[in-house]
Amino acid sequence: MQHSGDINQLFESVGFSNEYLNDTVTFYNEYFDNDSEMNVFFEEVFADESRLNYSPRRMMNRVRYLVSLAQDIDSIRHESDALKVVFFQSCIEGLHKLSKSKALHNHFFLDNSTETDGEYIKNHFEIFNIAPLKNDGELDGEVSEIYNSDMTLVLFAEVLKETRNIVLHEGDFWSVQLFNAREDCGLLSSIQSSKKYIKDEIKNSYLQYCDEETRTYFEKHDTLIKFLNSSGDLLYSFNTTLDFQKFTAIFVRTCINFIRNFISTN
């Protein structure tokens, strides 16, 4: 692959060329409007590296490695969305660790995605039903609640985290499906969890426009709030029209913004 003299010189000046240059440029080229914008990003990453303990370079490499694994996983385990999420979530956690940021991992998309990218996620992923589970993991009869509050980027990040946990802690590679090749036809799936952080985010979203008196009433009488205040497992049913390729592009752009935000604030 031919590259401009400037980009060759830049990579050579930091000790990289040939295969590393080709792989890095080939990967990131998809996520910028033109070569000039991409080259500016590389210049930002390699500028003043020693002061930043080479963290921007490590972040940039980690994004390429882990996202490439997510893209290639179908050749090993076909249509395992949950395995793809393992690599996406590992990337998020790795970026936070390298940045030594105190920002919450579940604010990754909220803090770093563009408005357009954030709206795509919220418009293509919807939790529509929440139901309690018995101790044996079965649904508790016909008891469930329709959920029609807006999706939040924090809640979406929590779903990714819990999907990763289901894979690594429970060995379940298949039950959670997040991506859908058809945006005109929703794919129904679900995720089971007892985690308080998911319940709290849903509860806060559900009650965000309530005054104190209304919140108090719901806390006492609303069935959904009773589910969310419980300690047991809940089954969250969702409808997804997230396209994997589009989401991957959003994810990488969000990572690029994270890296740039790190550089600009340090």
Side-chain angles (χ1 to χ4, degrees):
M1 177 181 293
Q2 295 295 317
H3 308 294
S4 70
D6 289 344
I7 200 65
N8 278 316
Q9 291 175 6
L10 175 63
F11 275 73
E12 287 175 2
S13 71
V14 295
F16 291 116
S17 58
N18 300 326
E19 185 176 354
Y20 177 88
L21 167 61
N22 290 333
D23 290 347
T24 303
V25 171
T26 298
F27 175 83
Y28 278 101
N29 186 60
E30 294 186 42
Y31 308 110
F32 289 91
D33 291 336
N34 53 63
D35 288 349
S36 295
E37 290 185 7
M38 178 181 64
N39 293 348
V40 169
F41 171 64
F42 292 145
E43 290 169 359
E44 293 171 352
V45 166
F46 292 129
D48 203 15
E49 280 197 296
S50 58
R51 184 179 64 82
L52 297 175
N53 195 31
Y54 299 91
S55 293
R57 179 194 303 198
R58 293 169 179 162
M59 293 178 187
M60 182 180 74
N61 291 341
R62 182 159 298 194
V63 172
R64 176 168 68 86
Y65 295 149
L66 291 172
V67 171
S68 295
L69 284 169
Q71 292 171 316
D72 294 343
I73 200 65
D74 270 344
S75 64
I76 302 172
R77 287 292 181 268
H78 186 55
E79 295 182 349
S80 177
D81 290 352
L83 269 177
K84 297 171 186 176
V85 170
V86 168
F87 296 115
F88 288 133
Q89 186 62 30
S90 296
C91 186
I92 293 172
E93 294 174 6
L95 292 178
H96 276 85
K97 183 175 182 179
L98 285 169
S99 73
K100 299 181 180 178
S101 170
K102 294 182 180 179
L104 299 174
H105 292 187
N106 59 10
H107 281 220
F108 177 74
F109 295 99
L110 181 66
D111 292 344
N112 301 288
S113 294
T114 65
E115 182 177 357
T116 300
D117 286 345
E119 286 301 310
Y120 176 85
I121 292 173
K122 291 189 289 185
N123 291 335
H124 290 79
F125 189 89
E126 173 193 25
I127 291 177
F128 65 86
N129 189 272
I130 300 175
L133 298 174
K134 296 185 290 187
N135 291 335
D136 60 4
E138 297 296 320
L139 283 171
D140 189 3
E142 298 298 321
V143 180
S144 67
E145 283 293 311
I146 299 298
Y147 182 73
N148 56 13
S149 293
D150 292 339
M151 190 65 189
T152 72
L153 293 179
V154 173
L155 179 54
F156 179 75
E158 298 287 20
V159 171
L160 291 190
K161 179 181 178 181
E162 191 61 10
T163 301
R164 188 282 310 268
N165 290 343
I166 289 171
V167 172
L168 297 185
H169 300 165
E170 301 176 23
D172 181 352
F173 297 83
W174 309 106
S175 64
V176 182
Q177 295 177 282
L178 293 173
F179 305 114
N180 184 356
R182 293 187 56 183
E183 292 189 33
D184 63 335
C185 181
L187 173 67
L188 303 183
S189 189
S190 62
I191 189 168
Q192 177 181 333
S193 176
S194 63
K195 296 296 191 299
K196 188 174 185 298
Y197 50 75
I198 295 179
K199 295 176 181 178
D200 286 348
E201 178 59 23
I202 292 176
K203 179 179 173 181
N204 290 337
S205 178
Y206 185 61
L207 298 177
Q208 63 180 319
Y209 299 116
C210 296
D211 57 30
E212 195 61 35
E213 182 179 354
T214 306
R215 288 181 69 97
T216 300
Y217 176 85
F218 275 117
E219 290 278 0
K220 291 181 179 179
H221 303 287
D222 188 83
T223 303
L224 177 58
I225 296 300
K226 291 180 180 178
F227 291 169
L228 298 172
N229 284 339
S230 72
S231 60
D233 277 9
L234 298 179
L235 185 72
Y236 304 95
S237 298
F238 58 83
N239 178 28
T240 178
T241 52
L242 281 175
D243 178 80
F244 176 69
Q245 298 300 332
K246 290 182 179 179
F247 174 76
T248 300
I250 288 171
F251 184 82
V252 175
R253 287 194 294 265
T254 302
C255 290
I256 289 169
N257 289 339
F258 182 98
I259 296 169
R260 283 183 146 155
N261 289 337
F262 169 78
I263 293 171
S264 67
T265 56
N266 287 275

